[in-house]
Amino acid sequence: MIRELEVTVNHQIKKILMPDSIVYVLSKRFSLRVIKLYQFLSGEKHEYLISRQILRSATSIGANIAESKFAQSQADYLSKIRIALKEANETLYWLELLCKSGYSLIL
């Protein structure tokens, strides 16, 4: 029992010390860009509805990828990655809607 606990703890420590994956790094970078977009749209253009939806779905991509790093099982890992994919698709929808509504002229 103690040996199993040691193995589990060592595995978690290795995950913490492991360098971040390219997917994690890029999703975090994307989230930061979307935060700046939200600040611009809500602050200067007074667009709140679509920008808030973009902010929520886009930052959720990285959050789910970050959570997948400590998934409890392979099924849990795949679930988190699938949720991130769904959030990416939703973000694309909101970005397309933003562009088609005329805000593409200001970006």
Side-chain angles (χ1 to χ4, degrees), residues 74-98:
Q74 185 171 359
D76 187 32
Y77 172 81
L78 291 173
S79 176
K80 303 263 187 263
I81 296 301
R82 286 182 182 122
I83 292 169
L85 180 60
K86 289 168 64 175
E87 294 293 340
N89 188 54
E90 181 181 341
T91 302
L92 178 60
Y93 170 80
W94 289 115
L95 288 170
E96 288 173 346
L97 203 59
L98 182 71

PDB file of all heavy atoms in Angstrom, residues 74-98:
ATOM      1  N   GLN A  74      -7.001   7.475 -18.319  1.00  0.00           N
ATOM      2  CA  GLN A  74      -6.945   7.793 -19.736  1.00  0.00           C
ATOM      3  C   GLN A  74      -8.305   8.296 -20.221  1.00  0.00           C
ATOM      4  O   GLN A  74      -8.382   9.212 -21.031  1.00  0.00           O
ATOM      5  CB  GLN A  74      -6.514   6.583 -20.562  1.00  0.00           C
ATOM      6  CG  GLN A  74      -6.324   6.936 -22.033  1.00  0.00           C
ATOM      7  CD  GLN A  74      -5.698   5.815 -22.828  1.00  0.00           C
ATOM      8  OE1 GLN A  74      -5.381   4.768 -22.302  1.00  0.00           O
ATOM      9  NE2 GLN A  74      -5.517   6.043 -24.108  1.00  0.00           N
ATOM     10  N   ALA A  75      -9.372   7.728 -19.689  1.00  0.00           N
ATOM     11  CA  ALA A  75     -10.719   8.173 -20.060  1.00  0.00           C
ATOM     12  C   ALA A  75     -10.936   9.628 -19.619  1.00  0.00           C
ATOM     13  O   ALA A  75     -11.519  10.429 -20.360  1.00  0.00           O
ATOM     14  CB  ALA A  75     -11.771   7.264 -19.445  1.00  0.00           C
ATOM     15  N   ASP A  76     -10.473   9.972 -18.437  1.00  0.00           N
ATOM     16  CA  ASP A  76     -10.583  11.340 -17.937  1.00  0.00           C
ATOM     17  C   ASP A  76      -9.763  12.287 -18.813  1.00  0.00           C
ATOM     18  O   ASP A  76     -10.209  13.382 -19.154  1.00  0.00           O
ATOM     19  CB  ASP A  76     -10.114  11.404 -16.485  1.00  0.00           C
ATOM     20  CG  ASP A  76     -10.348  12.754 -15.829  1.00  0.00           C
ATOM     21  OD1 ASP A  76     -11.329  13.431 -16.177  1.00  0.00           O
ATOM     22  OD2 ASP A  76      -9.538  13.120 -14.947  1.00  0.00           O
ATOM     23  N   TYR A  77      -8.559  11.864 -19.178  1.00  0.00           N
ATOM     24  CA  TYR A  77      -7.693  12.649 -20.052  1.00  0.00           C
ATOM     25  C   TYR A  77      -8.391  12.928 -21.389  1.00  0.00           C
ATOM     26  O   TYR A  77      -8.466  14.070 -21.838  1.00  0.00           O
ATOM     27  CB  TYR A  77      -6.369  11.914 -20.291  1.00  0.00           C
ATOM     28  CG  TYR A  77      -5.502  12.563 -21.340  1.00  0.00           C
ATOM     29  CD1 TYR A  77      -4.713  13.657 -21.030  1.00  0.00           C
ATOM     30  CD2 TYR A  77      -5.483  12.075 -22.650  1.00  0.00           C
ATOM     31  CE1 TYR A  77      -3.924  14.265 -21.987  1.00  0.00           C
ATOM     32  CE2 TYR A  77      -4.702  12.683 -23.620  1.00  0.00           C
ATOM     33  CZ  TYR A  77      -3.925  13.765 -23.283  1.00  0.00           C
ATOM     34  OH  TYR A  77      -3.149  14.376 -24.240  1.00  0.00           O
ATOM     35  N   LEU A  78      -8.916  11.884 -22.002  1.00  0.00           N
ATOM     36  CA  LEU A  78      -9.585  12.046 -23.290  1.00  0.00           C
ATOM     37  C   LEU A  78     -10.820  12.934 -23.170  1.00  0.00           C
ATOM     38  O   LEU A  78     -11.111  13.734 -24.070  1.00  0.00           O
ATOM     39  CB  LEU A  78      -9.957  10.681 -23.872  1.00  0.00           C
ATOM     40  CG  LEU A  78      -8.785   9.820 -24.323  1.00  0.00           C
ATOM     41  CD1 LEU A  78      -9.270   8.436 -24.729  1.00  0.00           C
ATOM     42  CD2 LEU A  78      -8.035  10.493 -25.458  1.00  0.00           C
ATOM     43  N   SER A  79     -11.519  12.819 -22.069  1.00  0.00           N
ATOM     44  CA  SER A  79     -12.690  13.658 -21.846  1.00  0.00           C
ATOM     45  C   SER A  79     -12.303  15.134 -21.809  1.00  0.00           C
ATOM     46  O   SER A  79     -12.960  15.974 -22.431  1.00  0.00           O
ATOM     47  CB  SER A  79     -13.376  13.258 -20.540  1.00  0.00           C
ATOM     48  OG  SER A  79     -14.440  14.125 -20.269  1.00  0.00           O
ATOM     49  N   LYS A  80     -11.236  15.459 -21.089  1.00  0.00           N
ATOM     50  CA  LYS A  80     -10.782  16.849 -20.997  1.00  0.00           C
ATOM     51  C   LYS A  80     -10.339  17.375 -22.365  1.00  0.00           C
ATOM     52  O   LYS A  80     -10.653  18.510 -22.736  1.00  0.00           O
ATOM     53  CB  LYS A  80      -9.626  16.967 -20.010  1.00  0.00           C
ATOM     54  CG  LYS A  80      -9.929  16.467 -18.632  1.00  0.00           C
ATOM     55  CD  LYS A  80     -10.327  17.572 -17.717  1.00  0.00           C
ATOM     56  CE  LYS A  80     -10.456  17.092 -16.300  1.00  0.00           C
ATOM     57  NZ  LYS A  80     -11.809  16.775 -15.916  1.00  0.00           N
ATOM     58  N   ILE A  81      -9.638  16.545 -23.126  1.00  0.00           N
ATOM     59  CA  ILE A  81      -9.178  16.962 -24.456  1.00  0.00           C
ATOM     60  C   ILE A  81     -10.374  17.165 -25.387  1.00  0.00           C
ATOM     61  O   ILE A  81     -10.413  18.111 -26.178  1.00  0.00           O
ATOM     62  CB  ILE A  81      -8.175  15.937 -25.030  1.00  0.00           C
ATOM     63  CG1 ILE A  81      -6.903  15.900 -24.162  1.00  0.00           C
ATOM     64  CG2 ILE A  81      -7.843  16.250 -26.474  1.00  0.00           C
ATOM     65  CD1 ILE A  81      -6.169  17.222 -24.044  1.00  0.00           C
ATOM     66  N   ARG A  82     -11.358  16.301 -25.286  1.00  0.00           N
ATOM     67  CA  ARG A  82     -12.565  16.452 -26.118  1.00  0.00           C
ATOM     68  C   ARG A  82     -13.329  17.724 -25.754  1.00  0.00           C
ATOM     69  O   ARG A  82     -13.853  18.412 -26.637  1.00  0.00           O
ATOM     70  CB  ARG A  82     -13.458  15.227 -25.970  1.00  0.00           C
ATOM     71  CG  ARG A  82     -12.922  14.016 -26.695  1.00  0.00           C
ATOM     72  CD  ARG A  82     -13.861  12.826 -26.576  1.00  0.00           C
ATOM     73  NE  ARG A  82     -13.290  11.675 -27.229  1.00  0.00           N
ATOM     74  CZ  ARG A  82     -13.045  10.521 -26.631  1.00  0.00           C
ATOM     75  NH1 ARG A  82     -13.354  10.347 -25.366  1.00  0.00           N
ATOM     76  NH2 ARG A  82     -12.511   9.524 -27.304  1.00  0.00           N
ATOM     77  N   ILE A  83     -13.391  18.044 -24.480  1.00  0.00           N
ATOM     78  CA  ILE A  83     -14.049  19.280 -24.062  1.00  0.00           C
ATOM     79  C   ILE A  83     -13.290  20.482 -24.615  1.00  0.00           C
ATOM     80  O   ILE A  83     -13.897  21.442 -25.102  1.00  0.00           O
ATOM     81  CB  ILE A  83     -14.177  19.349 -22.525  1.00  0.00           C
ATOM     82  CG1 ILE A  83     -15.163  18.292 -22.029  1.00  0.00           C
ATOM     83  CG2 ILE A  83     -14.607  20.744 -22.075  1.00  0.00           C
ATOM     84  CD1 ILE A  83     -15.172  18.099 -20.522  1.00  0.00           C
ATOM     85  N   ALA A  84     -11.966  20.422 -24.568  1.00  0.00           N
ATOM     86  CA  ALA A  84     -11.154  21.510 -25.127  1.00  0.00           C
ATOM     87  C   ALA A  84     -11.436  21.676 -26.618  1.00  0.00           C
ATOM     88  O   ALA A  84     -11.545  22.799 -27.118  1.00  0.00           O
ATOM     89  CB  ALA A  84      -9.665  21.243 -24.887  1.00  0.00           C
ATOM     90  N   LEU A  85     -11.565  20.567 -27.329  1.00  0.00           N
ATOM     91  CA  LEU A  85     -11.886  20.616 -28.758  1.00  0.00           C
ATOM     92  C   LEU A  85     -13.254  21.251 -28.993  1.00  0.00           C
ATOM     93  O   LEU A  85     -13.422  22.081 -29.895  1.00  0.00           O
ATOM     94  CB  LEU A  85     -11.827  19.214 -29.360  1.00  0.00           C
ATOM     95  CG  LEU A  85     -12.138  19.090 -30.845  1.00  0.00           C
ATOM     96  CD1 LEU A  85     -11.171  19.919 -31.671  1.00  0.00           C
ATOM     97  CD2 LEU A  85     -12.094  17.629 -31.269  1.00  0.00           C
ATOM     98  N   LYS A  86     -14.228  20.890 -28.168  1.00  0.00           N
ATOM     99  CA  LYS A  86     -15.561  21.480 -28.295  1.00  0.00           C
ATOM    100  C   LYS A  86     -15.517  22.984 -28.020  1.00  0.00           C
ATOM    101  O   LYS A  86     -16.170  23.775 -28.709  1.00  0.00           O
ATOM    102  CB  LYS A  86     -16.539  20.792 -27.334  1.00  0.00           C
ATOM    103  CG  LYS A  86     -16.882  19.370 -27.759  1.00  0.00           C
ATOM    104  CD  LYS A  86     -17.612  18.598 -26.691  1.00  0.00           C
ATOM    105  CE  LYS A  86     -18.961  19.181 -26.382  1.00  0.00           C
ATOM    106  NZ  LYS A  86     -19.724  18.360 -25.417  1.00  0.00           N
ATOM    107  N   GLU A  87     -14.749  23.389 -27.031  1.00  0.00           N
ATOM    108  CA  GLU A  87     -14.617  24.814 -26.723  1.00  0.00           C
ATOM    109  C   GLU A  87     -13.910  25.560 -27.854  1.00  0.00           C
ATOM    110  O   GLU A  87     -14.255  26.701 -28.160  1.00  0.00           O
ATOM    111  CB  GLU A  87     -13.868  25.014 -25.401  1.00  0.00           C
ATOM    112  CG  GLU A  87     -14.599  24.501 -24.181  1.00  0.00           C
ATOM    113  CD  GLU A  87     -15.880  25.273 -23.866  1.00  0.00           C
ATOM    114  OE1 GLU A  87     -16.041  26.423 -24.321  1.00  0.00           O
ATOM    115  OE2 GLU A  87     -16.739  24.711 -23.157  1.00  0.00           O
ATOM    116  N   ALA A  88     -12.944  24.910 -28.494  1.00  0.00           N
ATOM    117  CA  ALA A  88     -12.264  25.528 -29.643  1.00  0.00           C
ATOM    118  C   ALA A  88     -13.252  25.739 -30.783  1.00  0.00           C
ATOM    119  O   ALA A  88     -13.242  26.790 -31.445  1.00  0.00           O
ATOM    120  CB  ALA A  88     -11.096  24.655 -30.093  1.00  0.00           C
ATOM    121  N   ASN A  89     -14.102  24.766 -31.006  1.00  0.00           N
ATOM    122  CA  ASN A  89     -15.113  24.894 -32.055  1.00  0.00           C
ATOM    123  C   ASN A  89     -16.097  26.015 -31.725  1.00  0.00           C
ATOM    124  O   ASN A  89     -16.481  26.800 -32.605  1.00  0.00           O
ATOM    125  CB  ASN A  89     -15.848  23.570 -32.244  1.00  0.00           C
ATOM    126  CG  ASN A  89     -16.755  23.598 -33.444  1.00  0.00           C
ATOM    127  OD1 ASN A  89     -16.318  23.917 -34.550  1.00  0.00           O
ATOM    128  ND2 ASN A  89     -18.022  23.281 -33.240  1.00  0.00           N
ATOM    129  N   GLU A  90     -16.494  26.109 -30.469  1.00  0.00           N
ATOM    130  CA  GLU A  90     -17.397  27.192 -30.063  1.00  0.00           C
ATOM    131  C   GLU A  90     -16.721  28.553 -30.229  1.00  0.00           C
ATOM    132  O   GLU A  90     -17.343  29.518 -30.686  1.00  0.00           O
ATOM    133  CB  GLU A  90     -17.841  27.006 -28.617  1.00  0.00           C
ATOM    134  CG  GLU A  90     -18.801  28.090 -28.160  1.00  0.00           C
ATOM    135  CD  GLU A  90     -19.240  27.964 -26.720  1.00  0.00           C
ATOM    136  OE1 GLU A  90     -19.126  26.871 -26.134  1.00  0.00           O
ATOM    137  OE2 GLU A  90     -19.723  28.980 -26.185  1.00  0.00           O
ATOM    138  N   THR A  91     -15.448  28.626 -29.877  1.00  0.00           N
ATOM    139  CA  THR A  91     -14.705  29.879 -30.040  1.00  0.00           C
ATOM    140  C   THR A  91     -14.659  30.293 -31.495  1.00  0.00           C
ATOM    141  O   THR A  91     -14.851  31.475 -31.821  1.00  0.00           O
ATOM    142  CB  THR A  91     -13.272  29.732 -29.485  1.00  0.00           C
ATOM    143  OG1 THR A  91     -13.346  29.351 -28.108  1.00  0.00           O
ATOM    144  CG2 THR A  91     -12.487  31.022 -29.623  1.00  0.00           C
ATOM    145  N   LEU A  92     -14.430  29.331 -32.371  1.00  0.00           N
ATOM    146  CA  LEU A  92     -14.428  29.624 -33.807  1.00  0.00           C
ATOM    147  C   LEU A  92     -15.772  30.187 -34.235  1.00  0.00           C
ATOM    148  O   LEU A  92     -15.839  31.164 -34.987  1.00  0.00           O
ATOM    149  CB  LEU A  92     -14.089  28.357 -34.601  1.00  0.00           C
ATOM    150  CG  LEU A  92     -14.100  28.485 -36.116  1.00  0.00           C
ATOM    151  CD1 LEU A  92     -13.086  29.519 -36.588  1.00  0.00           C
ATOM    152  CD2 LEU A  92     -13.831  27.132 -36.753  1.00  0.00           C
ATOM    153  N   TYR A  93     -16.850  29.601 -33.753  1.00  0.00           N
ATOM    154  CA  TYR A  93     -18.193  30.087 -34.075  1.00  0.00           C
ATOM    155  C   TYR A  93     -18.348  31.559 -33.674  1.00  0.00           C
ATOM    156  O   TYR A  93     -18.804  32.385 -34.462  1.00  0.00           O
ATOM    157  CB  TYR A  93     -19.250  29.236 -33.353  1.00  0.00           C
ATOM    158  CG  TYR A  93     -20.636  29.824 -33.435  1.00  0.00           C
ATOM    159  CD1 TYR A  93     -21.413  29.652 -34.579  1.00  0.00           C
ATOM    160  CD2 TYR A  93     -21.167  30.569 -32.384  1.00  0.00           C
ATOM    161  CE1 TYR A  93     -22.689  30.202 -34.662  1.00  0.00           C
ATOM    162  CE2 TYR A  93     -22.427  31.118 -32.463  1.00  0.00           C
ATOM    163  CZ  TYR A  93     -23.186  30.937 -33.606  1.00  0.00           C
ATOM    164  OH  TYR A  93     -24.432  31.500 -33.683  1.00  0.00           O
ATOM    165  N   TRP A  94     -17.960  31.891 -32.432  1.00  0.00           N
ATOM    166  CA  TRP A  94     -18.116  33.261 -31.951  1.00  0.00           C
ATOM    167  C   TRP A  94     -17.216  34.226 -32.713  1.00  0.00           C
ATOM    168  O   TRP A  94     -17.620  35.360 -32.993  1.00  0.00           O
ATOM    169  CB  TRP A  94     -17.848  33.342 -30.449  1.00  0.00           C
ATOM    170  CG  TRP A  94     -18.921  32.703 -29.628  1.00  0.00           C
ATOM    171  CD1 TRP A  94     -18.800  31.602 -28.825  1.00  0.00           C
ATOM    172  CD2 TRP A  94     -20.283  33.106 -29.527  1.00  0.00           C
ATOM    173  NE1 TRP A  94     -20.000  31.297 -28.250  1.00  0.00           N
ATOM    174  CE2 TRP A  94     -20.947  32.211 -28.652  1.00  0.00           C
ATOM    175  CE3 TRP A  94     -21.040  34.138 -30.093  1.00  0.00           C
ATOM    176  CZ2 TRP A  94     -22.279  32.319 -28.326  1.00  0.00           C
ATOM    177  CZ3 TRP A  94     -22.385  34.243 -29.768  1.00  0.00           C
ATOM    178  CH2 TRP A  94     -22.986  33.354 -28.895  1.00  0.00           C
ATOM    179  N   LEU A  95     -16.004  33.798 -33.056  1.00  0.00           N
ATOM    180  CA  LEU A  95     -15.111  34.664 -33.837  1.00  0.00           C
ATOM    181  C   LEU A  95     -15.673  34.923 -35.232  1.00  0.00           C
ATOM    182  O   LEU A  95     -15.607  36.047 -35.740  1.00  0.00           O
ATOM    183  CB  LEU A  95     -13.706  34.048 -33.925  1.00  0.00           C
ATOM    184  CG  LEU A  95     -12.893  34.090 -32.630  1.00  0.00           C
ATOM    185  CD1 LEU A  95     -11.640  33.235 -32.771  1.00  0.00           C
ATOM    186  CD2 LEU A  95     -12.539  35.525 -32.262  1.00  0.00           C
ATOM    187  N   GLU A  96     -16.246  33.890 -35.848  1.00  0.00           N
ATOM    188  CA  GLU A  96     -16.871  34.069 -37.160  1.00  0.00           C
ATOM    189  C   GLU A  96     -18.060  35.021 -37.056  1.00  0.00           C
ATOM    190  O   GLU A  96     -18.234  35.897 -37.903  1.00  0.00           O
ATOM    191  CB  GLU A  96     -17.322  32.725 -37.725  1.00  0.00           C
ATOM    192  CG  GLU A  96     -16.186  31.844 -38.174  1.00  0.00           C
ATOM    193  CD  GLU A  96     -16.626  30.442 -38.573  1.00  0.00           C
ATOM    194  OE1 GLU A  96     -17.780  30.045 -38.263  1.00  0.00           O
ATOM    195  OE2 GLU A  96     -15.816  29.739 -39.192  1.00  0.00           O
ATOM    196  N   LEU A  97     -18.856  34.869 -36.025  1.00  0.00           N
ATOM    197  CA  LEU A  97     -20.004  35.749 -35.819  1.00  0.00           C
ATOM    198  C   LEU A  97     -19.547  37.196 -35.614  1.00  0.00           C
ATOM    199  O   LEU A  97     -20.144  38.128 -36.164  1.00  0.00           O
ATOM    200  CB  LEU A  97     -20.796  35.263 -34.609  1.00  0.00           C
ATOM    201  CG  LEU A  97     -22.253  35.647 -34.514  1.00  0.00           C
ATOM    202  CD1 LEU A  97     -23.045  35.148 -35.709  1.00  0.00           C
ATOM    203  CD2 LEU A  97     -22.844  35.092 -33.234  1.00  0.00           C
ATOM    204  N   LEU A  98     -18.488  37.371 -34.848  1.00  0.00           N
ATOM    205  CA  LEU A  98     -17.940  38.707 -34.623  1.00  0.00           C
ATOM    206  C   LEU A  98     -17.513  39.343 -35.947  1.00  0.00           C
ATOM    207  O   LEU A  98     -17.844  40.499 -36.227  1.00  0.00           O
ATOM    208  CB  LEU A  98     -16.755  38.623 -33.663  1.00  0.00           C
ATOM    209  CG  LEU A  98     -16.097  39.953 -33.301  1.00  0.00           C
ATOM    210  CD1 LEU A  98     -17.001  40.782 -32.388  1.00  0.00           C
ATOM    211  CD2 LEU A  98     -14.754  39.698 -32.625  1.00  0.00           C
TER     212      LEU A  98
END
